[in-house]
Structures are given as structure tokens and as C-alpha cells.
Amino acid sequence: MCRTLTAFPTACLERAKEFKTRLGIFLHKSELGSDPASVGKFERGSKHSKEGRNFSEDVLGWRESFDLLLSSKNGVAAFHAFLKTEFSEENLEFWLACEEFKKIRSAAKLASRAQRIFEEFIISEAPKEVNIDHETRELTRTNLQAATATCFDVAQGKTRTLMEKDSYPRFLKSPAYQDLATQAVATSASPSSCSVAEPFHT
């Protein structure tokens, strides 16, 4: 995983540059396409999204708290794009999958989806294995024996804490976000900054 700018391989730097360029373009155009993947699903389901805020206000809100970032449709997509440059997007994808999982009402679907999430993110050597301790992994495995909407709560909580303490500060300090925030400050002071942004594709 890329931890510092100097440690980034060329491909990683190119992805970071693409993220920065893409967000800059989105800020000016405010014409953003929706993400059909899990991020998009979360956006539609989030009751906390600030639908009435324009893009500049939204961007500046991301640095206020991790909760505000996660409650923003554009914030989730931007953070996801950043995590891709660090090859750690599985953490957010797992968190989002858990949010969707909690909405399932059918017991049969709950059990089936729980198994898929476990195999995709939790089990050792999973395709998108998240960084959790052995005890949490085993607790989650036990919870799946009688799957409920809360069976991933401990693992989700630990993954969220990891993102908040580790990835989120780096996201805020990244050149991409710093430049975006600077542009947002300038744009929010402009009369043309009143349009409401739509979620963008990552």
C-alpha cells in the first residue's frame, strides 16, 4: 500500500493525478454522472445526504468530520477514488456493503448476503480482505451461524475506525483534496456557485 507520495509507484501517482484532475473538472462543471455500483446504492439510500447543498459547500463539509464525509454522496465517491490510489478501497466497500446489508428484511436474503459479504471481505485470503484482527474475524464467523442485521457490526465498526484514524486524515491532506477545497472556497464566494451537484462516477 502506498503510504507517502515518495513511496507511490508511477501507476499510483498517475491515479492520484487523475483523481485530482477529475475532481477539479467536476467542481467547475457540477454536471456529474451517478455511480451504478455499491457507492451509488449507498447514495440513494442515505437519509443524511445534504441534497440541498451545492458542490462547494459539500466539499468543504468533508473536512468537518468523517461522518459528514460518509453522509455526502460526492464525499463517499471522492473518498473511494482516493482509497483506490492507496489500494485500500476494500475498507470503504465493506462498510458500504454492511450499510446495504442492514436494510435487508428477508431472513433468507439476509443469510445469503451475509455469506457473500463474509467470503468477499472477511475470510482469510478473501478477494477484498479487510484488515481486522483474528478475534473479530472469528466472532463474525460465529455470528453468521444465525445471521441478523447486526452480525457485521463489530467488524464494520473496526473498519470504520481504521478509515477514520488512518485514511481519512491522509485524504484531507492529499494535494487533490487541498486543491479541491481551495477551489471550493473560491467558488462558494462566487454568485455562480448556487447549482446543486449530482453524485459523480468513480
Side-chain angles (χ1 to χ4, degrees), residues 6-189:
T6 55
F8 276 22
T10 303
C12 202
L13 283 171
E14 288 303 316
R15 294 177 81 172
K17 289 178 181 177
E18 178 186 0
F19 165 62
K20 175 180 174 181
T21 301
R22 184 187 296 170
L23 287 179
I25 292 172
F26 292 147
L27 178 63
H28 290 299
K29 289 187 176 180
S30 294
E31 295 176 356
L32 315 172
S34 61
D35 185 348
S38 60
V39 171
K41 293 177 183 176
F42 174 73
E43 288 161 358
R44 292 191 294 274
S46 175
K47 62 183 178 182
H48 300 296
S49 294
K50 302 294 187 279
E51 299 293 348
R53 299 180 71 173
N54 66 40
F55 191 43
S56 297
E57 293 171 341
D58 201 23
V59 167
L60 296 177
W62 303 345
R63 63 190 180 190
E64 293 177 21
S65 74
F66 192 49
D67 284 331
L68 279 178
L69 175 69
L70 291 180
S71 70
S72 161
K73 55 183 67 174
N74 289 319
V76 169
F79 189 50
H80 187 253
F82 171 76
L83 291 177
K84 282 184 175 181
T85 71
E86 296 199 331
F87 305 102
S88 62
E89 65 269 27
E90 70 279 355
N91 294 319
L92 180 61
E93 290 175 6
F94 170 64
W95 188 87
L96 292 169
C98 289
E99 290 297 289
E100 286 299 308
F101 174 75
K102 293 174 185 177
K103 300 173 186 176
I104 298 175
R105 293 294 174 259
S106 164
K109 289 182 179 179
L110 201 69
S112 174
R113 181 57 181 154
Q115 189 59 40
R116 289 203 300 272
I117 291 175
F118 185 79
E119 292 175 356
E120 184 175 6
F121 297 102
I122 303 295
I123 194 171
S124 295
E125 306 301 324
K128 297 181 179 180
E129 184 179 355
V130 293
N131 184 17
I132 56 175
D133 58 83
H134 176 72
E135 290 75 13
T136 301
R137 196 182 311 277
E138 291 307 306
L139 172 62
T140 306
R141 187 193 304 275
T142 300
N143 289 344
L144 258 64
Q145 294 175 10
T148 67
T150 62
C151 66
F152 291 108
D153 280 6
V154 175
Q156 184 188 19
K158 293 197 173 184
T159 302
R160 184 194 184 285
T161 298
L162 179 64
M163 289 191 293
E164 183 174 15
K165 302 299 183 186
D166 188 38
S167 304
Y168 175 57
R170 288 201 305 278
F171 168 71
L172 295 181
K173 293 177 182 177
S174 67
Y177 178 73
Q178 289 292 316
D179 285 359
L180 190 65
T182 297
Q183 293 175 52
V185 170
T187 304
S188 63

